[in-house]
Amino acid sequence: MPAAYEQYLVPAVFRPFAEDLAARAAVLHPGRVLELASGTGVLTSHLLTAAPSAEVTATDLNEAMVAFGATRAPGAVWRQADAQRLPFPDGGFDLVVCQFGVMFFPDRIEAFTEVHRVLAPGGRFLFNTWGPLGTHAFEAALQAGLERALPVDPPRFFPTVPHGYADPAVVAADLTAAGFAVEDEQELTLQGRAASTADLATGYLTGTPVRVAVEERGDGPAVRATVIEEMTARLGPGPVTAPMTAYVFHAAA
């Protein structure tokens, strides 16, 4: 999964937002940075470039992602870590960043409370989260393809997880409950670009948890063919350009 995620999804979906988030982080002139849910290291790499004097610690719950990311962004210190039980002392960082990871935390207030604990007084928490599924053209087309291919029991991962924390008011309330002051929240729409819908389908169907869901439901090649057909009907064959919307939060401990 990490290799497919890196090859097909990082350039098309995650790199544009990593560039944005790293630039926002650099403006804060951080000295000690903790990154959560680092994945294969796309944000990590941009952080190391945008803030070269910062000490960056990159973490992920998935050990395979940590191993892959450590080869991609060796300038950071990589650790396997659960965001709800961070293995770091109180006040050890002045910036915590997270790209499209907070949606995966089972208990977001607990995770945000841990982030608050490891931040020094006045430290910042900078992260983004996807908007509603309909505001992400690639993933809306993917979900339509899955529902066409598997009409009885389509995988619901994308509507419920990546796009399941898409109400800014709820996010802000969770941050406040964890002790943060929300300093800024912005809606940000960037363009995703992919060589083809086939590449996108391959990335989503082999580089995300949808892979397991499709395998459990039956004929993977037939599902892939239907998903590509539906995505192509909605997006064109490629090269494909489409809007993706996220919310960016900036909170102070």
Side-chain angles (χ1 to χ4, degrees):
M1 283 177 60
Y5 176 95
E6 175 69 20
Q7 180 178 352
Y8 296 109
L9 297 183
V10 164
V13 177
F14 296 104
R15 184 174 296 152
F17 289 95
E19 293 171 352
D20 172 80
L21 210 60
R24 294 173 189 264
V27 170
L28 300 173
H29 304 290
R32 299 160 297 164
V33 180
L34 172 63
E35 184 187 356
L36 306 178
S38 302
T40 58
V42 59
L43 175 57
T44 320
S45 296
H46 286 287
L47 285 170
L48 292 167
T49 299
S53 64
E55 298 176 2
V56 178
T57 300
T59 66
D60 199 278
L61 182 63
N62 186 307
E63 291 184 2
M65 288 290 192
V66 171
F68 192 101
T71 65
R72 190 185 189 283
V77 174
W78 284 81
R79 293 275 302 272
Q80 190 275 338
D82 182 343
Q84 293 178 202
R85 290 178 292 276
L86 292 172
F88 304 108
D90 297 359
F93 301 93
D94 48 43
L95 175 63
V96 175
V97 295
C98 184
Q99 168 145 300
F100 299 123
V102 297
M103 309 89 72
F104 294 87
F105 300 159
D107 187 326
R108 289 152 189 148
I109 294 176
E110 183 177 352
F112 292 169
T113 301
E114 271 291 271
V115 171
H116 192 282
R117 178 185 66 78
V118 301
L119 279 169
R124 299 300 197 274
F125 183 23
L126 177 64
F127 66 93
N128 53 19
T129 181
W130 290 120
L133 178 63
T135 67
H136 194 304
F138 289 164
E139 292 173 9
L142 169 78
Q143 186 64 28
L146 289 169
E147 291 173 3
R148 178 180 159 192
L150 299 163
V152 175
D153 184 24
R156 299 290 299 166
F157 170 73
F158 281 96
T160 59
V161 183
H163 299 277
Y165 196 42
D167 185 340
V170 172
V171 179
D174 288 349
L175 285 166
T176 301
F180 281 100
V182 179
E183 295 186 323
D184 190 38
E185 177 262 308
Q186 295 181 13
E187 180 178 302
L188 177 66
T189 299
L190 299 177
Q191 296 297 308
R193 294 177 174 83
S196 68
T197 49
D199 280 359
L200 284 170
T202 298
Y204 283 120
L205 295 176
T206 62
T208 74
V210 168
R211 174 178 185 162
V212 175
V214 169
E215 289 173 350
E216 290 174 345
R217 286 162 172 79
D219 190 349
V223 169
R224 180 176 182 273
T226 300
V227 167
I228 291 173
E229 184 177 285
E230 183 67 25
M231 293 184 75
T232 300
R234 289 169 175 260
L235 301 170
V240 185
T241 301
M244 310 175 292
T245 296
Y247 301 112
V248 184
F249 286 86
H250 186 176

